[in-house]
Amino acid sequence: ATNAATVRVLAAHGYEVVAVGTGQEALNRAKSEWPTLIVLDIVLPDILGTDVCERLRKDPITKAIPVLLLTAKPDVADKIPASYAAHDRTFEKPGRLDDLMTLIQNMAMGGKR
């Protein structure tokens, strides 16, 4: 679940992108499609992105999928629960597009920070 501009940029960089509009839809699609990476905005119309991530971590089917949480609030990274996987990351919006793409490429390839 992310904005249209991010979807366009990812598609332009050769990524296959499945965009959804709600946290529940993200949960459903993650279970049925098992994506390489989930880029998730924290502010969603139905469920907070942090709650979606928490649910993904608790589900054996989706617990290993890395999640990139996009946020406009700089203090969110400090509030990520310890139960999140070591491969989850946050990215502060608006950020440099080059930095976002580097982070996504590293996460999609299983890279570390």
Side-chain angles (χ1 to χ4, degrees), residues 18-87:
V18 176
V20 298
T22 67
Q24 187 58 55
E25 194 176 355
L27 290 167
N28 295 343
R29 296 294 288 268
K31 287 178 88 167
S32 66
E33 297 181 24
W34 215 76
T36 302
L37 171 67
I38 297 172
V39 180
L40 187 65
D41 207 319
I42 287 184
V43 178
L44 298 170
D46 59 343
I47 308 169
L48 285 176
T50 50
D51 292 339
V52 172
C53 193
E54 188 72 23
R55 292 181 192 183
L56 291 167
R57 292 297 145 254
K58 290 179 180 177
D59 189 318
I61 296 171
T62 59
K63 69 180 182 181
I65 302 170
V67 175
L68 173 57
L69 289 164
L70 302 178
T71 180
K73 299 179 181 181
D75 61 337
V76 168
D78 298 332
K79 296 178 182 176
I80 298 292
S83 61
Y84 284 21
H87 51 255

